[in-house]
Coordinates of all heavy atoms in Angstrom, one line a residue:
Q111 N 5.1 -8.2 15.8 CA 6.0 -8.5 16.9 C 6.7 -9.9 16.7 O 7.8 -10.1 17.2 CB 5.1 -8.7 18.2 CG 4.5 -7.4 18.5 CD 3.4 -7.6 19.6 OE1 3.1 -8.7 20.0 NE2 2.8 -6.5 20.0
T112 N 6.2 -10.8 15.9 CA 6.7 -12.1 15.6 C 7.9 -12.0 14.7 O 8.9 -12.7 14.8 CB 5.6 -13.0 15.1 OG1 4.6 -13.0 16.0 CG2 6.2 -14.4 15.0
F113 N 7.7 -11.2 13.6 CA 8.7 -11.2 12.5 C 9.4 -9.8 12.4 O 8.8 -8.8 12.7 CB 8.1 -11.5 11.2 CG 7.4 -12.8 11.1 CD1 6.0 -12.9 11.0 CD2 8.1 -14.0 11.2 CE1 5.4 -14.1 10.9 CE2 7.5 -15.2 11.2 CZ 6.1 -15.3 11.0
K114 N 10.6 -9.8 12.0 CA 11.3 -8.6 11.7 C 11.5 -8.6 10.1 O 11.7 -9.6 9.5 CB 12.7 -8.6 12.4 CG 12.6 -8.5 13.9 CD 14.0 -8.3 14.5 CE 14.9 -9.5 14.4 NZ 14.6 -10.8 15.1
E115 N 11.6 -7.4 9.6 CA 11.8 -7.2 8.1 C 13.1 -8.0 7.8 O 14.1 -7.8 8.4 CB 11.9 -5.8 7.8 CG 11.8 -5.5 6.3 CD 11.7 -4.1 5.9 OE1 11.0 -3.3 6.7 OE2 12.2 -3.7 4.8
G116 N 13.0 -8.8 6.7 CA 14.1 -9.6 6.2 C 14.2 -11.0 6.8 O 14.9 -11.8 6.3
D117 N 13.3 -11.3 7.8 CA 13.2 -12.7 8.3 C 12.7 -13.6 7.1 O 11.9 -13.3 6.4 CB 12.2 -12.8 9.4 CG 12.8 -12.3 10.7 OD1 14.0 -12.0 10.8 OD2 12.0 -12.2 11.7
E118 N 13.3 -14.8 7.1 CA 12.8 -15.8 6.1 C 11.6 -16.5 6.7 O 11.5 -16.9 7.8 CB 13.9 -16.9 5.9 CG 13.6 -17.7 4.7 CD 14.8 -18.6 4.3 OE1 15.8 -18.1 3.7 OE2 14.8 -19.8 4.6
V119 N 10.5 -16.6 5.9 CA 9.2 -17.1 6.3 C 8.8 -18.2 5.3 O 9.2 -18.2 4.1 CB 8.2 -16.1 6.5 CG1 8.5 -15.1 7.6 CG2 7.9 -15.3 5.2
K120 N 7.9 -19.0 5.7 CA 7.3 -20.1 4.8 C 5.8 -19.9 4.8 O 5.1 -19.7 5.8 CB 7.6 -21.5 5.4 CG 7.1 -22.6 4.5 CD 7.6 -23.9 5.1 CE 7.3 -25.1 4.1 NZ 7.8 -26.3 4.6
I121 N 5.2 -19.9 3.6 CA 3.8 -19.7 3.4 C 3.1 -21.0 3.6 O 3.5 -22.1 3.2 CB 3.5 -19.2 2.0 CG1 4.2 -17.8 1.8 CG2 2.0 -19.0 1.7 CD1 4.2 -17.2 0.4
H122 N 1.9 -21.0 4.4 CA 1.2 -22.2 4.8 C 0.1 -22.5 3.9 O -0.3 -23.7 3.8 CB 0.6 -22.0 6.2 CG 1.7 -22.2 7.2 ND1 2.2 -23.4 7.5 CD2 2.2 -21.3 8.1 CE1 3.1 -23.2 8.5 NE2 3.1 -22.0 8.9
D123 N -0.6 -21.6 3.2 CA -1.7 -21.9 2.4 C -1.8 -21.1 1.1 O -1.0 -20.1 1.0 CB -3.0 -21.9 3.2 CG -3.3 -20.5 3.8 OD1 -2.6 -19.5 3.4 OD2 -4.2 -20.4 4.6
G124 N -2.7 -21.4 0.3 CA -2.8 -20.6 -1.0 C -2.0 -21.2 -2.1 O -1.4 -22.3 -2.0
I125 N -1.9 -20.4 -3.1 CA -1.2 -20.9 -4.3 C 0.3 -21.1 -4.1 O 0.9 -22.0 -4.7 CB -1.5 -19.9 -5.5 CG1 -1.0 -20.5 -6.8 CG2 -0.9 -18.6 -5.3 CD1 -1.5 -19.8 -8.0
F126 N 0.9 -20.4 -3.2 CA 2.3 -20.5 -2.9 C 2.6 -21.3 -1.6 O 3.7 -21.1 -1.0 CB 2.9 -19.1 -2.8 CG 2.9 -18.4 -4.1 CD1 2.1 -17.2 -4.2 CD2 3.6 -18.8 -5.2 CE1 2.1 -16.5 -5.4 CE2 3.5 -18.1 -6.4 CZ 2.8 -17.0 -6.5
S127 N 1.7 -22.1 -1.2 CA 1.9 -23.0 0.0 C 3.2 -23.7 -0.1 O 3.5 -24.4 -1.1 CB 0.7 -23.9 0.1 OG 0.9 -24.7 1.3
G128 N 4.0 -23.6 1.0 CA 5.3 -24.3 1.0 C 6.4 -23.5 0.5 O 7.6 -23.9 0.7
V129 N 6.2 -22.4 -0.1 CA 7.3 -21.6 -0.7 C 7.8 -20.7 0.5 O 7.1 -20.2 1.3 CB 6.7 -20.7 -1.8 CG1 7.8 -19.7 -2.3 CG2 6.2 -21.6 -2.9
T130 N 9.2 -20.5 0.4 CA 9.8 -19.6 1.4 C 10.1 -18.2 0.8 O 10.3 -18.1 -0.5 CB 11.1 -20.2 2.0 OG1 12.0 -20.4 1.0 CG2 10.8 -21.4 2.8
G131 N 10.1 -17.2 1.6 CA 10.4 -15.8 1.1 C 10.9 -15.0 2.2 O 11.1 -15.5 3.3
L132 N 11.0 -13.7 2.0 CA 11.4 -12.8 3.0 C 10.3 -11.9 3.5 O 9.5 -11.4 2.7 CB 12.6 -11.8 2.5 CG 13.8 -12.5 2.0 CD1 14.8 -11.5 1.5 CD2 14.5 -13.3 3.2
F133 N 10.2 -11.7 4.8 CA 9.1 -10.9 5.4 C 9.4 -9.5 5.1 O 10.5 -9.0 5.4 CB 9.1 -11.2 6.9 CG 8.1 -10.3 7.7 CD1 6.8 -10.6 7.6 CD2 8.5 -9.3 8.5 CE1 5.8 -9.8 8.3 CE2 7.6 -8.5 9.2 CZ 6.3 -8.8 9.1
L134 N 8.4 -8.8 4.5 CA 8.6 -7.3 4.2 C 7.8 -6.4 5.2 O 8.1 -5.2 5.2 CB 8.1 -7.1 2.8 CG 8.9 -7.7 1.7 CD1 8.3 -7.3 0.3 CD2 10.4 -7.3 1.7
G135 N 6.8 -7.0 5.8 CA 6.0 -6.2 6.7 C 4.5 -6.6 6.6 O 4.2 -7.6 6.1
L136 N 3.7 -5.7 7.0 CA 2.2 -5.9 7.0 C 1.6 -5.0 6.0 O 2.0 -3.8 5.8 CB 1.6 -5.6 8.3 CG 2.0 -6.6 9.5 CD1 1.4 -6.1 10.8 CD2 1.7 -8.0 9.2
T137 N 0.5 -5.5 5.3 CA -0.3 -4.6 4.4 C -1.2 -3.8 5.3 O -1.3 -4.0 6.5 CB -1.1 -5.4 3.4 OG1 -2.0 -6.2 4.1 CG2 -0.1 -6.3 2.6
D138 N -2.0 -2.9 4.6 CA -2.9 -2.0 5.4 C -4.0 -2.8 6.1 O -4.5 -2.4 7.1 CB -3.6 -1.0 4.4 CG -2.6 0.1 4.0 OD1 -1.6 0.3 4.7 OD2 -2.9 0.7 3.0
D139 N -4.3 -4.0 5.5 CA -5.3 -4.9 6.2 C -4.7 -6.0 7.0 O -5.3 -7.0 7.3 CB -6.3 -5.4 5.2 CG -5.7 -6.2 4.1 OD1 -4.4 -6.2 4.0 OD2 -6.4 -6.9 3.3
N140 N -3.5 -5.8 7.5 CA -2.8 -6.7 8.4 C -2.5 -8.1 7.9 O -2.5 -9.0 8.6 CB -3.6 -6.8 9.8 CG -3.1 -5.8 10.8 OD1 -2.1 -5.1 10.6 ND2 -3.8 -5.6 11.9
R141 N -2.3 -8.1 6.6 CA -1.9 -9.4 6.0 C -0.4 -9.3 5.9 O 0.2 -8.2 5.8 CB -2.5 -9.6 4.6 CG -4.0 -9.8 4.8 CD -4.7 -10.0 3.4 NE -4.3 -11.1 2.7 CZ -4.8 -12.4 2.9 NH1 -5.7 -12.6 3.8 NH2 -4.4 -13.4 2.1
V142 N 0.3 -10.4 5.9 CA 1.8 -10.5 5.8 C 2.2 -10.2 4.4 O 1.7 -10.9 3.5 CB 2.3 -11.8 6.3 CG1 3.8 -11.9 6.2 CG2 1.9 -12.0 7.8
K143 N 3.2 -9.3 4.2 CA 3.7 -9.1 2.9 C 5.1 -9.8 2.8 O 6.0 -9.6 3.6 CB 3.9 -7.6 2.6 CG 4.2 -7.3 1.2 CD 4.4 -5.8 0.9 CE 3.8 -4.8 1.7 NZ 4.1 -3.4 1.3
V144 N 5.2 -10.7 1.7 CA 6.4 -11.5 1.6 C 7.0 -11.3 0.2 O 6.3 -11.2 -0.8 CB 6.0 -13.0 1.8 CG1 7.2 -13.9 1.6 CG2 5.4 -13.3 3.1
L145 N 8.3 -11.2 0.2 CA 9.0 -11.1 -1.1 C 9.4 -12.5 -1.5 O 10.1 -13.3 -0.8 CB 10.3 -10.3 -1.0 CG 11.2 -10.1 -2.2 CD1 10.4 -9.3 -3.3 CD2 12.5 -9.4 -1.8
L146 N 9.0 -12.9 -2.7 CA 9.3 -14.3 -3.2 C 10.2 -14.2 -4.4 O 10.1 -13.2 -5.2 CB 8.0 -15.0 -3.7 CG 6.9 -15.1 -2.6 CD1 5.6 -15.7 -3.2 CD2 7.4 -16.0 -1.5
N147 N 11.0 -15.2 -4.6 CA 11.9 -15.2 -5.8 C 11.4 -16.4 -6.6 O 11.7 -17.6 -6.2 CB 13.3 -15.4 -5.4 CG 14.3 -15.3 -6.6 OD1 13.8 -15.5 -7.8 ND2 15.5 -15.0 -6.3
L148 N 10.6 -16.2 -7.7 CA 10.1 -17.2 -8.5 C 10.6 -17.1 -9.9 O 10.5 -16.1 -10.5 CB 8.6 -17.2 -8.5 CG 7.9 -17.3 -7.2 CD1 6.4 -17.1 -7.3 CD2 8.1 -18.7 -6.7
L149 N 11.3 -18.2 -10.3 CA 11.8 -18.3 -11.7 C 12.7 -17.1 -12.0 O 12.7 -16.5 -13.1 CB 10.7 -18.3 -12.7 CG 9.7 -19.5 -12.6 CD1 8.6 -19.4 -13.6 CD2 10.5 -20.8 -12.8
G150 N 13.5 -16.7 -11.0 CA 14.5 -15.6 -11.1 C 13.9 -14.2 -11.1 O 14.6 -13.2 -11.3
K151 N 12.6 -14.1 -10.8 CA 12.0 -12.8 -10.7 C 11.4 -12.6 -9.3 O 10.8 -13.5 -8.7 CB 10.8 -12.7 -11.7 CG 10.2 -11.3 -11.7 CD 9.1 -11.3 -12.8 CE 8.5 -9.9 -12.8 NZ 7.5 -9.7 -13.8
E152 N 11.6 -11.4 -8.7 CA 11.1 -11.2 -7.3 C 9.7 -10.6 -7.4 O 9.5 -9.6 -8.2 CB 12.1 -10.2 -6.6 CG 13.4 -10.9 -6.3 CD 14.3 -10.0 -5.4 OE1 14.2 -8.8 -5.5 OE2 15.1 -10.6 -4.7
I153 N 8.8 -11.1 -6.6 CA 7.4 -10.6 -6.6 C 7.1 -10.5 -5.1 O 7.6 -11.2 -4.2 CB 6.4 -11.5 -7.3 CG1 6.4 -12.9 -6.6 CG2 6.7 -11.6 -8.8 CD1 5.1 -13.7 -7.1
T154 N 6.1 -9.6 -4.8 CA 5.6 -9.5 -3.4 C 4.3 -10.2 -3.4 O 3.5 -10.2 -4.4 CB 5.4 -8.0 -3.0 OG1 4.6 -7.3 -3.9 CG2 6.7 -7.3 -2.9
Y155 N 4.0 -10.8 -2.3 CA 2.8 -11.6 -2.1 C 2.3 -11.4 -0.7 O 3.0 -11.2 0.3 CB 3.2 -13.1 -2.2 CG 2.1 -14.1 -1.9 CD1 1.0 -14.2 -2.8 CD2 2.1 -14.9 -0.8 CE1 0.0 -15.1 -2.5 CE2 1.1 -15.8 -0.5 CZ 0.0 -15.9 -1.4 OH -1.0 -16.8 -1.1
S156 N 0.9 -11.3 -0.5 CA 0.3 -11.1 0.8 C -0.4 -12.4 1.2 O -1.0 -13.0 0.4 CB -0.7 -10.0 0.7 OG -0.1 -8.7 0.4
S157 N -0.2 -12.8 2.4 CA -0.7 -14.0 2.9 C -1.2 -13.8 4.4 O -0.7 -12.9 5.1 CB 0.3 -15.1 2.9 OG -0.2 -16.3 3.5
A158 N -2.1 -14.6 4.8 CA -2.6 -14.5 6.2 C -1.9 -15.5 7.1 O -1.9 -15.4 8.3 CB -4.1 -14.8 6.2
S159 N -1.2 -16.5 6.5 CA -0.6 -17.5 7.4 C 0.8 -17.9 6.9 O 1.0 -18.4 5.8 CB -1.4 -18.8 7.4 OG -1.6 -19.3 6.2
V160 N 1.8 -17.5 7.7 CA 3.2 -17.8 7.4 C 3.8 -18.2 8.8 O 3.3 -18.0 9.8 CB 4.0 -16.6 6.8 CG1 3.4 -16.2 5.5 CG2 4.0 -15.4 7.8
S161 N 5.0 -18.8 8.7 CA 5.7 -19.2 9.9 C 7.2 -18.9 9.6 O 7.7 -18.8 8.5 CB 5.6 -20.6 10.3 OG 6.1 -21.5 9.3
A162 N 7.9 -18.7 10.7 CA 9.4 -18.4 10.5 C 10.1 -19.7 10.1 O 9.7 -20.8 10.5 CB 9.9 -17.9 11.9
V163 N 11.1 -19.5 9.3 CA 11.9 -20.7 8.9 C 13.2 -20.6 9.7 O 13.9 -19.6 9.7 CB 12.2 -20.6 7.4 CG1 13.2 -21.7 6.9 CG2 11.0 -20.6 6.6
R164 N 13.6 -21.7 10.3 CA 14.8 -21.7 11.2 C 15.8 -22.5 10.5 O 15.6 -23.5 9.9 CB 14.5 -22.3 12.6 CG 13.3 -21.6 13.3 CD 13.8 -20.4 14.0 NE 12.7 -19.8 14.7 CZ 12.4 -18.5 14.6 NH1 13.2 -17.7 14.0 NH2 11.4 -18.0 15.3

Side-chain angles (χ1 to χ4, degrees):
Q111 298 166 355
T112 306
F113 302 116
K114 294 184 290 293
E115 192 170 328
D117 283 351
E118 193 171 283
V119 294
K120 185 175 186 177
I121 299 172
H122 283 289
D123 59 12
I125 191 168
F126 296 114
S127 180
V129 175
T130 59
L132 297 178
F133 178 74
L134 294 179
L136 296 175
T137 65
D138 288 340
D139 57 351
N140 271 349
R141 293 177 66 82
V142 176
K143 193 182 330 179
V144 178
L145 178 66
L146 302 175
N147 187 340
L148 297 173
L149 302 173
K151 184 176 180 180
E152 291 185 334
I153 63 165
T154 57
Y155 174 72
S156 295
S157 176
S159 60
V160 299
S161 66
V163 176
R164 305 275 180 226

